[in-house]
Amino acid sequence: MFPSKQRADDPQPSRTLVRPQSAIEKIASAASPAALRAATLPAAELGSRPWLNHPNGDVPLPPLRVLVVDDDGPVRNACAEIAAGLGFTTQTADSVSSARMALAHSSIDILLLDLKLPGGGGLALLEDIRAEHPQTIVVIMTAFATVSSAVESLRSGAGDYLTKPFTLEELSNTLQRAAQRRTIDVESRLLRDRLRSGAAMGNLVGNSPPMEKIYRILSKVANTTHPVLIVGEPGTGKELVARSIHANGPNAEQPFVPVDCGSLVPSMIEGELFGYLKGAIPGANRSKAGLLAGMEGSTIFLDEVGNLPLDLQGRLLRALQEKEVRPIGVDAAAAGAGAAAPGLGNGLGGAPSGVAPLVARILASSSRDLSEMVETGRFRKDLYFRLNVVNIRLPALRERRGDIPLLAAHILERMKAEHRVGYHFADQALRLLMEYDWPGNVRELEQAIERACSLSSGPVLHIADFPTQMGNFHFHSQQQFVESSNRGLMDRAASAELPAVQPIAELEKQAILNTISQLNGDKLMAARLLGIGKTTLYRKLKEYGLGDELA
């Protein structure tokens, strides 16, 4: 055990300090670091440091850095050497001031901090670390432990708590817990960055606040096996999110299988998910394993799960509750003549009953309001709670307009590669993309850009190249804009008490010139909005003596 400190101004120590020298104290007085590291860890454990691996297990992360802050030299040095034996990079400090200096010059992952320090208390340093270095995991050490001090430390942001004297095993376990927590934090940040940059599989694009929130959730759920329910309007990218969860999880190499619950007939969905015994359904010449009991680590994506009929919802609920899959025909075979059902092939194993364990992860999506369907009895409440362990709501594209330029650029880059043409948007076309409401969300945006690239006569994409409904939207919005501007001019004219009677020719001239001005010189659109031919418009401009100026 590590000895606890006793200062001259302390009253009676909280525990007896006179005892035989322990194994840790022998380690603390070891002659060489090599001997200390050999005594600290068994040889088999020296090569097993899972917290030092990359989240995907292929690229090692740099060793985590541990700072030991304690004014007791033997304890400080022993903790540092033990941490080094565990594979950490270590630094030491004997006071608050030296600890602040180390924090200012190095990136510290884990801090072992003694509460009683010269030059200021450890709690004050802990509060400063929480504010200035929130990524650092802090472990408090003290020989004067009380419930109040422990609670205060944890409230101030400490990640763990060690009471002196502590054993080698206690220190090692605490450091390992802190390292795993720090590695998870790093992993989540790296995954969020990959998702934000679009580098992660699934091509999620966007940096708006709603998307940042989704990235944070994805970085946490990717490494779990809990069911996830993804909701949102059609075209928001629910399957892309599901694929991203699978691709960034520990079973990324296993199959991702989408099941369209909205287009497949219920009997086909049931056979695909649960499998069936030979002869259980018409045409079943052999037994088949269901997707839920297929390859371990696979992910089954139930797209539009709200379309499942109630009886199939009950079967899915039973599989999730009991963690087992019952193929079609198992119950009938078990009831027939007391004979056991034959075993299943294709990965289900040869269990006499044909029942197999649930080995796949379930992700589900819905563009319908499942909670409202629960209230009306069209979706089982217990299944809803089973699937809704983690809920991810995808925003409509109109709710994150700031992401439209990024999404458009991403789609355009793909079209450039496919068509080998350097497409780019005209200014008015890009403004249209930003103003349009996109009822079909990202799917409609992608289709619109693909259509524009296919119909464009050159590399510049104009409004006329986009779908008709978008052109109509642009026309009506421009018409409303001009009408609003004209009403404003009339209101200002009335407030200025201009003559009430004006020649018709003068009013016509003002209407034409004002419309052209509001449309930034687009005379063809102005003629269309005014309801006159372009020849008439050019003749009128020539009469005003402005034909050359507005050309």
Side-chain angles (χ1 to χ4, degrees), residues 257 259 268-277 287-296 298 300 315 325-328 344-349 354 356-360:
V257 185
V259 178
M268 183 178 293
I269 297 175
E270 183 179 17
E272 288 296 323
L273 291 180
F274 299 94
Y276 47 80
L277 298 182
S287 299
K288 178 183 177 181
L291 294 173
L292 297 178
M295 188 175 296
E296 186 172 359
S298 60
I300 308 302
R315 291 208 63 183
V325 182
R326 303 178 67 86
I328 301 173
L344 295 178
N346 300 331
L348 279 180
L358 174 65
V359 296

PDB file of all heavy atoms in Angstrom, residues 257 259 268-277 287-296 298 300 315 325-328 344-349 354 356-360:
ATOM      1  N   VAL A 257     -28.212  -5.201 -43.666  1.00  0.00           N
ATOM      2  CA  VAL A 257     -29.308  -5.698 -44.497  1.00  0.00           C
ATOM      3  C   VAL A 257     -30.539  -4.825 -44.302  1.00  0.00           C
ATOM      4  O   VAL A 257     -31.164  -4.851 -43.229  1.00  0.00           O
ATOM      5  CB  VAL A 257     -29.655  -7.157 -44.155  1.00  0.00           C
ATOM      6  CG1 VAL A 257     -30.721  -7.679 -45.118  1.00  0.00           C
ATOM      7  CG2 VAL A 257     -28.412  -8.032 -44.197  1.00  0.00           C
ATOM      8  N   VAL A 259     -34.434  -3.930 -44.827  1.00  0.00           N
ATOM      9  CA  VAL A 259     -35.691  -4.638 -45.106  1.00  0.00           C
ATOM     10  C   VAL A 259     -36.772  -3.582 -45.263  1.00  0.00           C
ATOM     11  O   VAL A 259     -37.080  -2.849 -44.317  1.00  0.00           O
ATOM     12  CB  VAL A 259     -36.059  -5.614 -43.971  1.00  0.00           C
ATOM     13  CG1 VAL A 259     -37.396  -6.292 -44.265  1.00  0.00           C
ATOM     14  CG2 VAL A 259     -34.968  -6.657 -43.787  1.00  0.00           C
ATOM     15  N   MET A 268     -43.696 -12.340 -46.758  1.00  0.00           N
ATOM     16  CA  MET A 268     -42.306 -12.368 -47.212  1.00  0.00           C
ATOM     17  C   MET A 268     -41.383 -11.771 -46.146  1.00  0.00           C
ATOM     18  O   MET A 268     -40.285 -12.287 -45.899  1.00  0.00           O
ATOM     19  CB  MET A 268     -42.166 -11.603 -48.529  1.00  0.00           C
ATOM     20  CG  MET A 268     -40.760 -11.627 -49.117  1.00  0.00           C
ATOM     21  SD  MET A 268     -40.652 -10.763 -50.699  1.00  0.00           S
ATOM     22  CE  MET A 268     -41.660 -11.862 -51.711  1.00  0.00           C
ATOM     23  N   ILE A 269     -41.825 -10.682 -45.511  1.00  0.00           N
ATOM     24  CA  ILE A 269     -41.019 -10.077 -44.442  1.00  0.00           C
ATOM     25  C   ILE A 269     -40.828 -11.069 -43.302  1.00  0.00           C
ATOM     26  O   ILE A 269     -39.725 -11.227 -42.762  1.00  0.00           O
ATOM     27  CB  ILE A 269     -41.692  -8.795 -43.929  1.00  0.00           C
ATOM     28  CG1 ILE A 269     -41.767  -7.749 -45.044  1.00  0.00           C
ATOM     29  CG2 ILE A 269     -40.932  -8.232 -42.733  1.00  0.00           C
ATOM     30  CD1 ILE A 269     -42.529  -6.501 -44.661  1.00  0.00           C
ATOM     31  N   GLU A 270     -41.915 -11.771 -42.929  1.00  0.00           N
ATOM     32  CA  GLU A 270     -41.832 -12.729 -41.833  1.00  0.00           C
ATOM     33  C   GLU A 270     -40.848 -13.842 -42.156  1.00  0.00           C
ATOM     34  O   GLU A 270     -40.011 -14.225 -41.327  1.00  0.00           O
ATOM     35  CB  GLU A 270     -43.213 -13.315 -41.553  1.00  0.00           C
ATOM     36  CG  GLU A 270     -43.249 -14.265 -40.380  1.00  0.00           C
ATOM     37  CD  GLU A 270     -44.638 -14.809 -40.124  1.00  0.00           C
ATOM     38  OE1 GLU A 270     -45.498 -14.705 -41.033  1.00  0.00           O
ATOM     39  OE2 GLU A 270     -44.872 -15.345 -39.020  1.00  0.00           O
ATOM     40  N   GLY A 271     -40.892 -14.367 -43.381  1.00  0.00           N
ATOM     41  CA  GLY A 271     -39.975 -15.427 -43.764  1.00  0.00           C
ATOM     42  C   GLY A 271     -38.531 -14.960 -43.803  1.00  0.00           C
ATOM     43  O   GLY A 271     -37.620 -15.694 -43.400  1.00  0.00           O
ATOM     44  N   GLU A 272     -38.306 -13.719 -44.256  1.00  0.00           N
ATOM     45  CA  GLU A 272     -36.940 -13.199 -44.327  1.00  0.00           C
ATOM     46  C   GLU A 272     -36.370 -12.944 -42.934  1.00  0.00           C
ATOM     47  O   GLU A 272     -35.201 -13.233 -42.671  1.00  0.00           O
ATOM     48  CB  GLU A 272     -36.912 -11.905 -45.145  1.00  0.00           C
ATOM     49  CG  GLU A 272     -37.126 -12.093 -46.634  1.00  0.00           C
ATOM     50  CD  GLU A 272     -36.009 -12.893 -47.268  1.00  0.00           C
ATOM     51  OE1 GLU A 272     -34.837 -12.722 -46.869  1.00  0.00           O
ATOM     52  OE2 GLU A 272     -36.303 -13.705 -48.164  1.00  0.00           O
ATOM     53  N   LEU A 273     -37.175 -12.398 -42.039  1.00  0.00           N
ATOM     54  CA  LEU A 273     -36.673 -12.058 -40.705  1.00  0.00           C
ATOM     55  C   LEU A 273     -36.494 -13.284 -39.824  1.00  0.00           C
ATOM     56  O   LEU A 273     -35.482 -13.416 -39.131  1.00  0.00           O
ATOM     57  CB  LEU A 273     -37.614 -11.063 -40.024  1.00  0.00           C
ATOM     58  CG  LEU A 273     -37.673  -9.646 -40.601  1.00  0.00           C
ATOM     59  CD1 LEU A 273     -38.658  -8.803 -39.806  1.00  0.00           C
ATOM     60  CD2 LEU A 273     -36.297  -8.994 -40.575  1.00  0.00           C
ATOM     61  N   PHE A 274     -37.468 -14.184 -39.829  1.00  0.00           N
ATOM     62  CA  PHE A 274     -37.472 -15.279 -38.853  1.00  0.00           C
ATOM     63  C   PHE A 274     -37.058 -16.625 -39.456  1.00  0.00           C
ATOM     64  O   PHE A 274     -36.739 -17.549 -38.707  1.00  0.00           O
ATOM     65  CB  PHE A 274     -38.857 -15.409 -38.209  1.00  0.00           C
ATOM     66  CG  PHE A 274     -39.294 -14.178 -37.471  1.00  0.00           C
ATOM     67  CD1 PHE A 274     -40.072 -13.218 -38.087  1.00  0.00           C
ATOM     68  CD2 PHE A 274     -38.885 -13.960 -36.165  1.00  0.00           C
ATOM     69  CE1 PHE A 274     -40.461 -12.070 -37.410  1.00  0.00           C
ATOM     70  CE2 PHE A 274     -39.257 -12.820 -35.486  1.00  0.00           C
ATOM     71  CZ  PHE A 274     -40.049 -11.866 -36.106  1.00  0.00           C
ATOM     72  N   GLY A 275     -37.078 -16.754 -40.780  1.00  0.00           N
ATOM     73  CA  GLY A 275     -36.770 -18.028 -41.386  1.00  0.00           C
ATOM     74  C   GLY A 275     -37.967 -18.980 -41.318  1.00  0.00           C
ATOM     75  O   GLY A 275     -39.025 -18.642 -40.789  1.00  0.00           O
ATOM     76  N   TYR A 276     -37.772 -20.194 -41.830  1.00  0.00           N
ATOM     77  CA  TYR A 276     -38.866 -21.160 -41.817  1.00  0.00           C
ATOM     78  C   TYR A 276     -38.289 -22.572 -41.917  1.00  0.00           C
ATOM     79  O   TYR A 276     -37.162 -22.790 -42.365  1.00  0.00           O
ATOM     80  CB  TYR A 276     -39.850 -20.912 -42.962  1.00  0.00           C
ATOM     81  CG  TYR A 276     -39.198 -20.696 -44.308  1.00  0.00           C
ATOM     82  CD1 TYR A 276     -38.743 -21.765 -45.085  1.00  0.00           C
ATOM     83  CD2 TYR A 276     -39.026 -19.409 -44.803  1.00  0.00           C
ATOM     84  CE1 TYR A 276     -38.145 -21.568 -46.314  1.00  0.00           C
ATOM     85  CE2 TYR A 276     -38.421 -19.190 -46.035  1.00  0.00           C
ATOM     86  CZ  TYR A 276     -37.986 -20.267 -46.788  1.00  0.00           C
ATOM     87  OH  TYR A 276     -37.385 -20.071 -47.997  1.00  0.00           O
ATOM     88  N   LEU A 277     -39.102 -23.518 -41.452  1.00  0.00           N
ATOM     89  CA  LEU A 277     -38.741 -24.929 -41.554  1.00  0.00           C
ATOM     90  C   LEU A 277     -39.190 -25.487 -42.904  1.00  0.00           C
ATOM     91  O   LEU A 277     -40.081 -24.941 -43.565  1.00  0.00           O
ATOM     92  CB  LEU A 277     -39.390 -25.725 -40.429  1.00  0.00           C
ATOM     93  CG  LEU A 277     -38.998 -25.363 -38.984  1.00  0.00           C
ATOM     94  CD1 LEU A 277     -39.705 -26.280 -38.012  1.00  0.00           C
ATOM     95  CD2 LEU A 277     -37.500 -25.430 -38.801  1.00  0.00           C
ATOM     96  N   SER A 287     -35.225 -25.911 -45.216  1.00  0.00           N
ATOM     97  CA  SER A 287     -35.283 -24.920 -44.134  1.00  0.00           C
ATOM     98  C   SER A 287     -34.383 -23.736 -44.463  1.00  0.00           C
ATOM     99  O   SER A 287     -33.372 -23.869 -45.153  1.00  0.00           O
ATOM    100  CB  SER A 287     -34.853 -25.543 -42.813  1.00  0.00           C
ATOM    101  OG  SER A 287     -35.716 -26.602 -42.461  1.00  0.00           O
ATOM    102  N   LYS A 288     -34.762 -22.575 -43.969  1.00  0.00           N
ATOM    103  CA  LYS A 288     -33.991 -21.351 -44.219  1.00  0.00           C
ATOM    104  C   LYS A 288     -33.827 -20.573 -42.930  1.00  0.00           C
ATOM    105  O   LYS A 288     -34.780 -20.414 -42.162  1.00  0.00           O
ATOM    106  CB  LYS A 288     -34.680 -20.483 -45.271  1.00  0.00           C
ATOM    107  CG  LYS A 288     -33.944 -19.177 -45.546  1.00  0.00           C
ATOM    108  CD  LYS A 288     -34.695 -18.307 -46.542  1.00  0.00           C
ATOM    109  CE  LYS A 288     -33.971 -16.977 -46.743  1.00  0.00           C
ATOM    110  NZ  LYS A 288     -34.693 -16.097 -47.694  1.00  0.00           N
ATOM    111  N   ALA A 289     -32.613 -20.092 -42.696  1.00  0.00           N
ATOM    112  CA  ALA A 289     -32.354 -19.264 -41.517  1.00  0.00           C
ATOM    113  C   ALA A 289     -32.863 -17.852 -41.741  1.00  0.00           C
ATOM    114  O   ALA A 289     -32.757 -17.293 -42.825  1.00  0.00           O
ATOM    115  CB  ALA A 289     -30.849 -19.222 -41.227  1.00  0.00           C
ATOM    116  N   GLY A 290     -33.430 -17.259 -40.705  1.00  0.00           N
ATOM    117  CA  GLY A 290     -33.881 -15.871 -40.786  1.00  0.00           C
ATOM    118  C   GLY A 290     -32.733 -14.894 -40.617  1.00  0.00           C
ATOM    119  O   GLY A 290     -31.666 -15.224 -40.081  1.00  0.00           O
ATOM    120  N   LEU A 291     -32.942 -13.682 -41.091  1.00  0.00           N
ATOM    121  CA  LEU A 291     -31.907 -12.648 -40.978  1.00  0.00           C
ATOM    122  C   LEU A 291     -31.558 -12.346 -39.519  1.00  0.00           C
ATOM    123  O   LEU A 291     -30.408 -12.058 -39.193  1.00  0.00           O
ATOM    124  CB  LEU A 291     -32.386 -11.369 -41.670  1.00  0.00           C
ATOM    125  CG  LEU A 291     -32.580 -11.440 -43.189  1.00  0.00           C
ATOM    126  CD1 LEU A 291     -33.210 -10.154 -43.693  1.00  0.00           C
ATOM    127  CD2 LEU A 291     -31.256 -11.708 -43.884  1.00  0.00           C
ATOM    128  N   LEU A 292     -32.557 -12.404 -38.630  1.00  0.00           N
ATOM    129  CA  LEU A 292     -32.306 -12.083 -37.223  1.00  0.00           C
ATOM    130  C   LEU A 292     -31.399 -13.112 -36.559  1.00  0.00           C
ATOM    131  O   LEU A 292     -30.768 -12.816 -35.548  1.00  0.00           O
ATOM    132  CB  LEU A 292     -33.630 -11.996 -36.461  1.00  0.00           C
ATOM    133  CG  LEU A 292     -34.596 -10.890 -36.912  1.00  0.00           C
ATOM    134  CD1 LEU A 292     -35.883 -10.946 -36.105  1.00  0.00           C
ATOM    135  CD2 LEU A 292     -33.954  -9.513 -36.773  1.00  0.00           C
ATOM    136  N   ALA A 293     -31.339 -14.314 -37.102  1.00  0.00           N
ATOM    137  CA  ALA A 293     -30.497 -15.369 -36.537  1.00  0.00           C
ATOM    138  C   ALA A 293     -29.371 -15.737 -37.486  1.00  0.00           C
ATOM    139  O   ALA A 293     -28.815 -16.826 -37.401  1.00  0.00           O
ATOM    140  CB  ALA A 293     -31.341 -16.603 -36.220  1.00  0.00           C
ATOM    141  N   GLY A 294     -29.046 -14.838 -38.399  1.00  0.00           N
ATOM    142  CA  GLY A 294     -28.012 -15.122 -39.379  1.00  0.00           C
ATOM    143  C   GLY A 294     -26.622 -14.909 -38.828  1.00  0.00           C
ATOM    144  O   GLY A 294     -26.267 -15.410 -37.759  1.00  0.00           O
ATOM    145  N   MET A 295     -25.830 -14.106 -39.513  1.00  0.00           N
ATOM    146  CA  MET A 295     -24.442 -13.897 -39.118  1.00  0.00           C
ATOM    147  C   MET A 295     -24.362 -12.996 -37.895  1.00  0.00           C
ATOM    148  O   MET A 295     -24.967 -11.928 -37.850  1.00  0.00           O
ATOM    149  CB  MET A 295     -23.659 -13.279 -40.288  1.00  0.00           C
ATOM    150  CG  MET A 295     -22.165 -13.199 -40.054  1.00  0.00           C
ATOM    151  SD  MET A 295     -21.287 -12.593 -41.526  1.00  0.00           S
ATOM    152  CE  MET A 295     -21.651 -13.938 -42.670  1.00  0.00           C
ATOM    153  N   GLU A 296     -23.604 -13.408 -36.901  1.00  0.00           N
ATOM    154  CA  GLU A 296     -23.468 -12.627 -35.675  1.00  0.00           C
ATOM    155  C   GLU A 296     -22.786 -11.294 -35.971  1.00  0.00           C
ATOM    156  O   GLU A 296     -21.800 -11.226 -36.694  1.00  0.00           O
ATOM    157  CB  GLU A 296     -22.658 -13.406 -34.642  1.00  0.00           C
ATOM    158  CG  GLU A 296     -22.594 -12.709 -33.287  1.00  0.00           C
ATOM    159  CD  GLU A 296     -21.965 -13.581 -32.232  1.00  0.00           C
ATOM    160  OE1 GLU A 296     -21.594 -14.733 -32.556  1.00  0.00           O
ATOM    161  OE2 GLU A 296     -21.856 -13.125 -31.079  1.00  0.00           O
ATOM    162  N   SER A 298     -24.281  -8.812 -37.536  1.00  0.00           N
ATOM    163  CA  SER A 298     -24.920  -8.126 -38.660  1.00  0.00           C
ATOM    164  C   SER A 298     -25.938  -7.113 -38.129  1.00  0.00           C
ATOM    165  O   SER A 298     -26.354  -7.163 -36.979  1.00  0.00           O
ATOM    166  CB  SER A 298     -25.600  -9.132 -39.583  1.00  0.00           C
ATOM    167  OG  SER A 298     -26.602  -9.854 -38.878  1.00  0.00           O
ATOM    168  N   ILE A 300     -29.706  -5.401 -39.000  1.00  0.00           N
ATOM    169  CA  ILE A 300     -30.943  -5.459 -39.773  1.00  0.00           C
ATOM    170  C   ILE A 300     -31.629  -4.109 -39.649  1.00  0.00           C
ATOM    171  O   ILE A 300     -31.940  -3.660 -38.537  1.00  0.00           O
ATOM    172  CB  ILE A 300     -31.874  -6.582 -39.276  1.00  0.00           C
ATOM    173  CG1 ILE A 300     -31.114  -7.913 -39.204  1.00  0.00           C
ATOM    174  CG2 ILE A 300     -33.085  -6.689 -40.179  1.00  0.00           C
ATOM    175  CD1 ILE A 300     -30.520  -8.353 -40.513  1.00  0.00           C
ATOM    176  N   ARG A 315     -44.551 -10.806 -33.155  1.00  0.00           N
ATOM    177  CA  ARG A 315     -43.426 -11.744 -33.321  1.00  0.00           C
ATOM    178  C   ARG A 315     -42.088 -11.036 -33.120  1.00  0.00           C
ATOM    179  O   ARG A 315     -41.173 -11.577 -32.505  1.00  0.00           O
ATOM    180  CB  ARG A 315     -43.470 -12.371 -34.710  1.00  0.00           C
ATOM    181  CG  ARG A 315     -44.631 -13.338 -34.932  1.00  0.00           C
ATOM    182  CD  ARG A 315     -44.252 -14.387 -35.958  1.00  0.00           C
ATOM    183  NE  ARG A 315     -43.133 -15.207 -35.486  1.00  0.00           N
ATOM    184  CZ  ARG A 315     -42.565 -16.164 -36.198  1.00  0.00           C
ATOM    185  NH1 ARG A 315     -42.994 -16.402 -37.426  1.00  0.00           N
ATOM    186  NH2 ARG A 315     -41.567 -16.877 -35.721  1.00  0.00           N
ATOM    187  N   VAL A 325     -35.016 -16.363 -31.850  1.00  0.00           N
ATOM    188  CA  VAL A 325     -35.769 -16.294 -33.102  1.00  0.00           C
ATOM    189  C   VAL A 325     -36.462 -17.636 -33.329  1.00  0.00           C
ATOM    190  O   VAL A 325     -35.802 -18.680 -33.346  1.00  0.00           O
ATOM    191  CB  VAL A 325     -34.831 -15.952 -34.278  1.00  0.00           C
ATOM    192  CG1 VAL A 325     -35.630 -15.838 -35.570  1.00  0.00           C
ATOM    193  CG2 VAL A 325     -34.070 -14.665 -34.010  1.00  0.00           C
ATOM    194  N   ARG A 326     -37.771 -17.580 -33.525  1.00  0.00           N
ATOM    195  CA  ARG A 326     -38.558 -18.796 -33.748  1.00  0.00           C
ATOM    196  C   ARG A 326     -39.005 -18.823 -35.209  1.00  0.00           C
ATOM    197  O   ARG A 326     -39.878 -18.057 -35.611  1.00  0.00           O
ATOM    198  CB  ARG A 326     -39.776 -18.835 -32.827  1.00  0.00           C
ATOM    199  CG  ARG A 326     -39.421 -18.729 -31.351  1.00  0.00           C
ATOM    200  CD  ARG A 326     -40.673 -18.731 -30.474  1.00  0.00           C
ATOM    201  NE  ARG A 326     -41.352 -19.998 -30.525  1.00  0.00           N
ATOM    202  CZ  ARG A 326     -41.057 -21.041 -29.754  1.00  0.00           C
ATOM    203  NH1 ARG A 326     -40.067 -20.950 -28.880  1.00  0.00           N
ATOM    204  NH2 ARG A 326     -41.730 -22.168 -29.864  1.00  0.00           N
ATOM    205  N   PRO A 327     -38.409 -19.691 -36.018  1.00  0.00           N
ATOM    206  CA  PRO A 327     -38.778 -19.749 -37.443  1.00  0.00           C
ATOM    207  C   PRO A 327     -40.233 -20.172 -37.630  1.00  0.00           C
ATOM    208  O   PRO A 327     -40.859 -20.772 -36.748  1.00  0.00           O
ATOM    209  CB  PRO A 327     -37.814 -20.793 -38.016  1.00  0.00           C
ATOM    210  CG  PRO A 327     -36.716 -20.901 -37.006  1.00  0.00           C
ATOM    211  CD  PRO A 327     -37.326 -20.620 -35.682  1.00  0.00           C
ATOM    212  N   ILE A 328     -40.765 -19.870 -38.806  1.00  0.00           N
ATOM    213  CA  ILE A 328     -42.122 -20.293 -39.146  1.00  0.00           C
ATOM    214  C   ILE A 328     -42.170 -21.819 -39.168  1.00  0.00           C
ATOM    215  O   ILE A 328     -41.332 -22.475 -39.787  1.00  0.00           O
ATOM    216  CB  ILE A 328     -42.530 -19.733 -40.526  1.00  0.00           C
ATOM    217  CG1 ILE A 328     -42.471 -18.214 -40.521  1.00  0.00           C
ATOM    218  CG2 ILE A 328     -43.926 -20.206 -40.909  1.00  0.00           C
ATOM    219  CD1 ILE A 328     -42.690 -17.602 -41.896  1.00  0.00           C
ATOM    220  N   LEU A 344     -32.257 -26.530 -38.230  1.00  0.00           N
ATOM    221  CA  LEU A 344     -32.193 -25.641 -39.385  1.00  0.00           C
ATOM    222  C   LEU A 344     -30.773 -25.534 -39.876  1.00  0.00           C
ATOM    223  O   LEU A 344     -29.836 -25.537 -39.096  1.00  0.00           O
ATOM    224  CB  LEU A 344     -32.711 -24.249 -39.017  1.00  0.00           C
ATOM    225  CG  LEU A 344     -34.196 -24.173 -38.634  1.00  0.00           C
ATOM    226  CD1 LEU A 344     -34.524 -22.752 -38.265  1.00  0.00           C
ATOM    227  CD2 LEU A 344     -35.090 -24.643 -39.757  1.00  0.00           C
ATOM    228  N   GLY A 345     -30.619 -25.377 -41.171  1.00  0.00           N
ATOM    229  CA  GLY A 345     -29.302 -25.134 -41.745  1.00  0.00           C
ATOM    230  C   GLY A 345     -29.077 -23.655 -41.908  1.00  0.00           C
ATOM    231  O   GLY A 345     -29.780 -22.831 -41.352  1.00  0.00           O
ATOM    232  N   ASN A 346     -28.096 -23.337 -42.724  1.00  0.00           N
ATOM    233  CA  ASN A 346     -27.796 -21.951 -43.069  1.00  0.00           C
ATOM    234  C   ASN A 346     -27.475 -21.100 -41.861  1.00  0.00           C
ATOM    235  O   ASN A 346     -27.876 -19.948 -41.758  1.00  0.00           O
ATOM    236  CB  ASN A 346     -28.954 -21.306 -43.847  1.00  0.00           C
ATOM    237  CG  ASN A 346     -29.246 -22.042 -45.129  1.00  0.00           C
ATOM    238  OD1 ASN A 346     -28.352 -22.635 -45.714  1.00  0.00           O
ATOM    239  ND2 ASN A 346     -30.493 -22.015 -45.574  1.00  0.00           N
ATOM    240  N   GLY A 347     -26.791 -21.638 -40.874  1.00  0.00           N
ATOM    241  CA  GLY A 347     -26.332 -20.802 -39.772  1.00  0.00           C
ATOM    242  C   GLY A 347     -27.176 -20.852 -38.540  1.00  0.00           C
ATOM    243  O   GLY A 347     -26.836 -20.270 -37.538  1.00  0.00           O
ATOM    244  N   LEU A 348     -28.342 -21.532 -38.572  1.00  0.00           N
ATOM    245  CA  LEU A 348     -29.158 -21.557 -37.365  1.00  0.00           C
ATOM    246  C   LEU A 348     -28.711 -22.627 -36.393  1.00  0.00           C
ATOM    247  O   LEU A 348     -29.130 -22.642 -35.254  1.00  0.00           O
ATOM    248  CB  LEU A 348     -30.624 -21.805 -37.730  1.00  0.00           C
ATOM    249  CG  LEU A 348     -31.423 -20.583 -38.197  1.00  0.00           C
ATOM    250  CD1 LEU A 348     -32.819 -20.999 -38.516  1.00  0.00           C
ATOM    251  CD2 LEU A 348     -31.387 -19.488 -37.183  1.00  0.00           C
ATOM    252  N   GLY A 349     -27.883 -23.541 -36.825  1.00  0.00           N
ATOM    253  CA  GLY A 349     -27.450 -24.599 -35.926  1.00  0.00           C
ATOM    254  C   GLY A 349     -28.430 -25.747 -35.939  1.00  0.00           C
ATOM    255  O   GLY A 349     -29.457 -25.742 -36.595  1.00  0.00           O
ATOM    256  N   GLY A 354     -35.342 -25.916 -33.255  1.00  0.00           N
ATOM    257  CA  GLY A 354     -35.244 -24.976 -34.360  1.00  0.00           C
ATOM    258  C   GLY A 354     -35.126 -23.542 -33.914  1.00  0.00           C
ATOM    259  O   GLY A 354     -34.936 -22.645 -34.729  1.00  0.00           O
ATOM    260  N   ALA A 356     -33.344 -20.302 -32.521  1.00  0.00           N
ATOM    261  CA  ALA A 356     -31.963 -19.824 -32.579  1.00  0.00           C
ATOM    262  C   ALA A 356     -31.855 -18.510 -31.821  1.00  0.00           C
ATOM    263  O   ALA A 356     -32.829 -17.772 -31.679  1.00  0.00           O
ATOM    264  CB  ALA A 356     -31.520 -19.640 -34.029  1.00  0.00           C
ATOM    265  N   PRO A 357     -30.659 -18.181 -31.316  1.00  0.00           N
ATOM    266  CA  PRO A 357     -30.487 -16.914 -30.603  1.00  0.00           C
ATOM    267  C   PRO A 357     -30.541 -15.727 -31.551  1.00  0.00           C
ATOM    268  O   PRO A 357     -30.175 -15.824 -32.729  1.00  0.00           O
ATOM    269  CB  PRO A 357     -29.101 -17.054 -29.959  1.00  0.00           C
ATOM    270  CG  PRO A 357     -28.385 -18.029 -30.829  1.00  0.00           C
ATOM    271  CD  PRO A 357     -29.433 -18.995 -31.309  1.00  0.00           C
ATOM    272  N   LEU A 358     -31.001 -14.603 -31.039  1.00  0.00           N
ATOM    273  CA  LEU A 358     -31.004 -13.353 -31.789  1.00  0.00           C
ATOM    274  C   LEU A 358     -29.589 -12.781 -31.783  1.00  0.00           C
ATOM    275  O   LEU A 358     -29.067 -12.413 -30.731  1.00  0.00           O
ATOM    276  CB  LEU A 358     -31.984 -12.356 -31.153  1.00  0.00           C
ATOM    277  CG  LEU A 358     -32.013 -10.944 -31.736  1.00  0.00           C
ATOM    278  CD1 LEU A 358     -32.509 -10.967 -33.177  1.00  0.00           C
ATOM    279  CD2 LEU A 358     -32.903 -10.032 -30.898  1.00  0.00           C
ATOM    280  N   VAL A 359     -28.953 -12.717 -32.940  1.00  0.00           N
ATOM    281  CA  VAL A 359     -27.554 -12.298 -33.007  1.00  0.00           C
ATOM    282  C   VAL A 359     -27.369 -11.004 -33.793  1.00  0.00           C
ATOM    283  O   VAL A 359     -26.266 -10.478 -33.872  1.00  0.00           O
ATOM    284  CB  VAL A 359     -26.683 -13.402 -33.643  1.00  0.00           C
ATOM    285  CG1 VAL A 359     -26.684 -14.646 -32.777  1.00  0.00           C
ATOM    286  CG2 VAL A 359     -27.158 -13.719 -35.057  1.00  0.00           C
ATOM    287  N   ALA A 360     -28.424 -10.489 -34.401  1.00  0.00           N
ATOM    288  CA  ALA A 360     -28.321  -9.281 -35.218  1.00  0.00           C
ATOM    289  C   ALA A 360     -28.746  -8.055 -34.412  1.00  0.00           C
ATOM    290  O   ALA A 360     -29.555  -8.150 -33.483  1.00  0.00           O
ATOM    291  CB  ALA A 360     -29.186  -9.396 -36.468  1.00  0.00           C
TER     292      ALA A 360
END
